Amino acid sequence: MAGVLEGIRVLDFGRYIAGPYCGALLGDLGAEVIRIEKLDGSEDRWMTPVVPDKEGVTFLQMNRNKLGITLNPTKPAGREVVARLVKTADVVVANLPVDTLKDMGLDYETLSAINPRIILATTSMFGSEGPYAQRVGFDTIGQAMSGAMHLSGWGDRPVRTAAPYVDFSTAYLNTIGVLAALMERQKSGKGQKVETALIRSALNAFNTQHIEQQVIDANRTAIGNRAWTAGPSDCFKCQDGWIFAMALGQPLFVRWCKLMGEEAWLNDPRFKDDLQRGNNGEVLSARMQAWCGERTVAAALEALAAARIPAGPIYSPQQALDDPHVKDQKMFKQVEFPGAPRPVPYLDQAVKLSRSPLEIRHRPPLLGEHTDQVLEEIGYSKDEIAGLRKDRVV
């Protein structure tokens, strides 16, 4: 079945997550995505290797559904390759600093002069303007500067979130921007620049706390896994593992009190609303912990589900892979990769479309695997490609 973006060509100069995952999502939607990297392989290819002495987990996740070529775009002959590719492309993805974009000829002014219909999706830490524009950074810098790390943990020291949500949310915003630009191009016939920044993504994800702080001077402090404005909402230890359970809003709190046998708390001023329940969350968590401590994880979750109270087990990565619902719904697609001791489990169809589903069609490329194929498609002869290899252009 043809994907939504069949016929769209994407040149992916991205590294790590924010750019490459945008390319992966566009590829899942049916676009032809060409990953372009350094001759010896970009650094993100080798991080946290699971293929012995070769590809790592970040590369494997971000680069499914892509062709792979090597290229040095800083050499004149390399710039010519870029120009030929850009003439055939619809989108360029590049999460690189502003100066690097210009050095590689990937700034929007240069690209649009070659192809006025081109859409450039660019990401940096702080954006292209402002006092921090030249600084570099990663996901955790966004977590740190948004206030999220300050309010994570127990207050003795800041704590980062293990999942790189700033990078991924930036990739989602990149993808939304590209899709919007493609729609607008249908009207105007012109491309445009789509710009995201990790700091903007981080601030966006934590914006509720900024609103509360500025409007009422809340001055929140870290309180572990409890919620500031609800309760109970916390991690709880059962006899054979941990769960997380939460009661947000009055209907859930009523059901929780009945399950705990604490109906009298429904008239207790300490728990009259979510805000007060958050302020007195230690009491609610202690009661819930006593209840959980008498039960297995399965028994606790069964009782909470019957009471329609949101709860779930706290899993290790292996337990997440083994969960019966995850397996029943075939949430992971198993893809073989050369040299990997086991198949690579890809989350399949994070977004489900009923008539035009996203699809993982093929594994990530080996280093430079499709260089000859792509160059031949844009007019290079076999002798010319051999010359480019000899000169270390590809």
Side-chain angles (χ1 to χ4, degrees):
M1 181 180 294
V4 174
L5 295 182
E6 184 182 27
I8 296 296
R9 170 172 277 190
V10 179
L11 307 179
D12 183 357
F13 291 86
R15 301 293 180 264
Y16 300 107
I17 298 174
Y21 194 60
C22 170
L25 292 173
L26 296 173
D28 293 351
L29 285 163
E32 178 193 53
V33 184
I34 302 172
R35 173 181 165 91
I36 302 163
E37 60 184 305
K38 300 173 184 177
L39 271 63
D40 295 324
S42 297
E43 54 275 21
D44 60 329
R45 180 179 280 270
W46 318 118
M47 289 179 59
T48 319
V50 289
V51 179
D53 300 319
K54 291 186 178 180
E55 283 78 10
V57 294
T58 301
F59 172 81
L60 291 176
Q61 182 182 10
M62 305 305 149
N63 292 287
R64 76 285 184 111
N65 286 342
K66 297 180 186 180
L67 305 176
I69 73 171
T70 55
L71 178 66
N72 182 352
T74 64
K75 291 188 175 183
R79 293 287 280 264
E80 174 59 27
V81 174
V82 171
R84 290 202 200 183
L85 284 169
V86 169
K87 287 178 182 178
T88 71
D90 299 279
V91 180
V92 171
V93 175
N95 56 321
L96 300 166
V98 176
D99 288 347
T100 303
L101 289 175
K102 291 181 178 178
D103 292 342
M104 295 174 64
L106 299 177
D107 57 289
Y108 182 67
E109 291 72 19
T110 300
L111 295 176
S112 61
I114 299 169
N115 180 356
R117 291 174 55 82
I118 202 73
I119 294 163
L120 171 63
T122 178
T123 295
S124 60
M125 182 67 230
F126 293 104
S128 60
E129 298 176 337
Y132 301 160
Q134 299 303 317
R135 296 186 185 181
V136 297
F138 289 111
D139 174 281
T140 310
I141 307 304
Q143 293 189 35
M145 295 183 67
S146 67
M149 284 181 64
H150 174 75
L151 292 182
S152 298
W154 281 263
D156 53 340
R157 63 185 300 174
V159 175
R160 72 174 179 90
T161 299
Y165 69 87
V166 176
D167 275 333
F168 277 96
S169 61
T170 303
Y172 301 141
L173 293 170
N174 270 333
T175 305
I176 292 170
V178 168
L179 295 175
L182 286 169
M183 291 182 66
E184 194 281 334
R185 193 180 70 175
Q186 293 177 345
K187 303 173 185 177
S188 68
K190 298 178 181 179
Q192 61 181 299
K193 180 180 178 180
V194 175
E195 183 175 357
T196 56
L198 298 186
I199 187 63
R200 289 181 178 272
S201 302
L203 292 170
N204 179 60
F206 213 56
N207 198 203
T208 54
Q209 301 301 324
H210 308 134
I211 293 170
E212 185 188 44
Q213 178 59 36
Q214 180 163 308
V215 174
I216 65 170
D217 289 322
N219 295 314
R220 298 283 182 195
T221 56
I223 55 172
N225 293 305
R226 288 190 289 113
W228 294 284
T229 58
S233 180
D234 208 342
C235 294
F236 302 101
K237 192 177 190 319
C238 298
Q239 292 174 345
D240 57 347
W242 289 80
I243 68 170
F244 195 97
M246 54 204 312
L248 308 181
Q250 189 65 18
L252 283 176
F253 184 67
V254 170
R255 297 202 291 269
W256 180 82
C257 285
K258 291 179 178 179
L259 179 64
M260 296 294 113
E262 300 288 358
E263 287 91 337
W265 282 2
L266 295 172
N267 298 311
D268 191 320
R270 295 177 299 170
F271 313 126
K272 69 176 184 177
D273 55 27
D274 274 340
L275 187 61
Q276 287 303 313
R277 291 192 281 270
N279 291 338
N280 294 282
E282 287 184 274
V283 176
L284 299 174
S285 286
R287 178 67 185 91
M288 183 69 171
Q289 178 55 65
W291 183 86
C292 287
E294 298 172 349
R295 291 163 173 81
T296 64
V297 165
L301 292 177
E302 183 178 0
L304 290 164
R308 304 290 293 166
I309 295 170
I314 297 176
Y315 279 159
S316 70
Q318 185 62 55
Q319 288 173 312
L321 287 167
D322 294 338
D323 179 85
H325 181 82
V326 171
K327 285 190 169 184
D328 177 80
Q329 294 299 298
K330 297 179 173 60
M331 292 188 181
F332 288 105
K333 182 171 184 175
Q334 305 294 328
V335 178
E336 299 288 344
F337 188 85
R342 297 174 185 168
V344 178
Y346 285 102
L347 180 66
D348 197 20
Q349 296 191 61
V351 178
K352 299 189 74 172
L353 301 181
S354 62
R355 288 193 300 105
S356 45
L358 284 70
E359 183 182 5
I360 297 176
R361 302 181 303 281
H362 54 80
R363 61 165 174 79
L366 301 175
L367 181 61
E369 182 174 355
H370 304 100
T371 300
D372 288 16
Q373 172 188 326
V374 171
L375 293 182
E376 287 176 8
E377 287 177 0
I378 58 174
Y380 284 91
S381 68
K382 292 186 182 298
D383 288 343
E384 288 174 320
I385 296 171
L388 292 174
R389 289 191 184 282
K390 180 180 178 181
D391 294 335
R392 297 281 293 170
V393 175
V394 298

